[in-house]
Amino acid sequence: MKVEIKQRALPTGNISLYIEYYEPGFRKKEALGLFLMPETAHGAKKHNKEVMKQAMAIRADRMLHPIDFDKEKEVKEQKKQKTHKEICRYTWLEWCNKYNEWSEECGNNSCMMDHKMLVRRRIEEFLNSMNEPDLRLDKVTTAHISALYDYMREYKNERQCKDNDNHLAGFTLMLFGQTINAIFNKAVRDNVIPFNPVQGLSQLEKFHAPDKHREFLTAEELQRFLAAKPETESEWQVQHAFGFSCMTGLRRSDIFNLKWNNIKSVGDTKVVSIIQQKTKQPVTIPLNDMALSLLPEKTADQQDDFVFHIPKGHDILTKYISRIREKAGIDDKHLSYHCSRHTAATLAITAGAELYSVSKILGHQSIVSTQVYADVVMDAKVETVNLTDGVFV
């Protein structure tokens, strides 16, 4: 039997390593959980050399001690059958409780936990409307999921939803669907149920992300925004915090928690170094002259103080931004604080920055998320080039 190390490119830009076992009439793959980094990444060559060394050692061991795939399959099947006998002790809602407990243990932030608790409440409301409050997890079918999705499409939240006749937004529904899928995937991984009923939905039944324009400021518009004269201290704080985010890509939640001790010197370069509130991952971002100019004045004893003091309420923060936008004469764009992040990515890519570098600055888990901004830049380039179409007729 041939035992070979194979590679598979991932959307993140990394390369996954796996072992392929082959002989006529038989082929089997084994994931190694080992990944090669792009050669452009810092320390990638040393990392990749060590990873390949580990992979070769595993291959050598498999050649000396071949896996008995028939026995492995039999053991897995026995384990699955044994576990499935205990399915009946979970109702759908009880499993939601266990899933939420597990999510909290995994370190999900308060925002995500609030969302998952809300999903659980919506499921409970749906089951009550179907007169099946104690529906067992193993009895949930694709038809139940389809009916739940229809229920959510008709659901109205009159307290929070102001558009679309109080129906939930497309992105809200998409996030709801992703959470439902995750709940059942967890049950399958834990051998609580044999399959995920969500997988049986047709494309028409699933929730899809709506096409959404990512609003951002051009370099000239950002200059006008920062040049607008603020009337109050709060307005000044919002204006400078927004501009700082345009230079660094920091999220609103990170700006709220940014302290002076997060701003450090690395050699001759000033950087902001934080643990992101959303992903809980560290990120270090160099500060250019524009970013440094937007920082408030600091005294020596302010090291543990917050850098910016901006309103935490989304609506009032957006009002401040709209007020400054109007002063700057930017009338054709609706700006929220998150638009600063779009601006940071678009300006960097427009200036010629590599996608990989921009993804690291933004703290994206996958370079696919950053690719969206490259597409935005390309659309702008195409639009600009097309302006000359009628010149040579």
Side-chain angles (χ1 to χ4, degrees), residues 30 47 81 124 178 280 311 331:
E30 177 191 1
H47 167 84
Q81 290 175 2
E124 183 175 18
Q178 290 174 344
K280 303 304 179 187
D331 301 323

Side-chain angles (χ1 to χ4, degrees), residues 25 31 46 59 79 110 120 143 149 171 178 182 187 204 212 221-222 229 279 286-287 294 320 333 354 369:
K46 183 178 179 181
R59 175 178 178 268
K79 182 180 178 182
S110 59
R120 195 253 183 221
Y149 283 17
F171 278 103
Q178 290 174 344
L204 289 176
K212 186 172 182 179
E221 288 171 335
L222 178 58
K229 187 177 180 180
T279 66
L287 300 177
L294 293 167
Y320 274 114
K333 294 183 177 180
E354 294 180 354
S369 302

Side-chain angles (χ1 to χ4, degrees), residues 149 153 168-178 201-212:
Y149 283 17
R153 286 187 176 95
L168 300 178
F171 278 103
T172 302
L173 292 174
M174 185 186 70
L175 184 58
F176 180 90
Q178 290 174 344
L201 293 174
S202 68
Q203 287 299 315
L204 289 176
E205 292 174 305
K206 294 177 182 178
F207 295 130
H208 299 282
D211 292 332
K212 186 172 182 179

Side-chain angles (χ1 to χ4, degrees), residues 233-255:
E233 174 63 19
S234 294
E235 197 170 310
W236 187 95
Q237 290 281 340
V238 171
Q239 181 187 42
H240 282 65
F242 184 90
F244 190 79
S245 288
C246 287
M247 293 295 101
T248 61
L250 290 182
R251 296 180 178 88
R252 181 180 54 149
S253 57
D254 295 325
I255 289 291

Side-chain angles (χ1 to χ4, degrees), residues 158-277:
E158 296 182 359
R159 289 192 308 163
Q160 295 183 359
C161 301
K162 300 175 183 178
D163 300 323
N164 195 25
D165 194 26
N166 300 121
H167 287 99
L168 300 178
F171 278 103
T172 302
L173 292 174
M174 185 186 70
L175 184 58
F176 180 90
Q178 290 174 344
T179 304
I180 295 295
N181 190 46
I183 289 170
F184 284 98
N185 277 340
K186 171 66 174 169
V188 173
R189 286 197 306 271
D190 289 359
N191 288 318
V192 177
I193 55 176
F195 65 93
N196 181 350
V198 177
Q199 302 305 315
L201 293 174
S202 68
Q203 287 299 315
L204 289 176
E205 292 174 305
K206 294 177 182 178
F207 295 130
H208 299 282
D211 292 332
K212 186 172 182 179
H213 174 63
R214 281 176 163 78
E215 202 74 90
F216 65 92
L217 294 178
T218 64
E220 185 270 336
E221 288 171 335
L222 178 58
Q223 287 180 326
R224 284 158 50 194
F225 183 93
L226 296 174
K229 187 177 180 180
E231 296 178 11
T232 64
E233 174 63 19
S234 294
E235 197 170 310
W236 187 95
Q237 290 281 340
V238 171
Q239 181 187 42
H240 282 65
F242 184 90
F244 190 79
S245 288
C246 287
M247 293 295 101
T248 61
L250 290 182
R251 296 180 178 88
R252 181 180 54 149
S253 57
D254 295 325
I255 289 291
F256 286 146
N257 293 280
L258 183 66
K259 293 187 176 182
W260 284 107
N261 56 27
N262 293 125
I263 298 175
K264 307 172 182 179
S265 295
V266 177
D268 296 331
T269 305
K270 287 284 189 181
V271 303
V272 56
S273 182
I274 61 165
I275 303 295
Q276 296 175 101
Q277 295 294 309

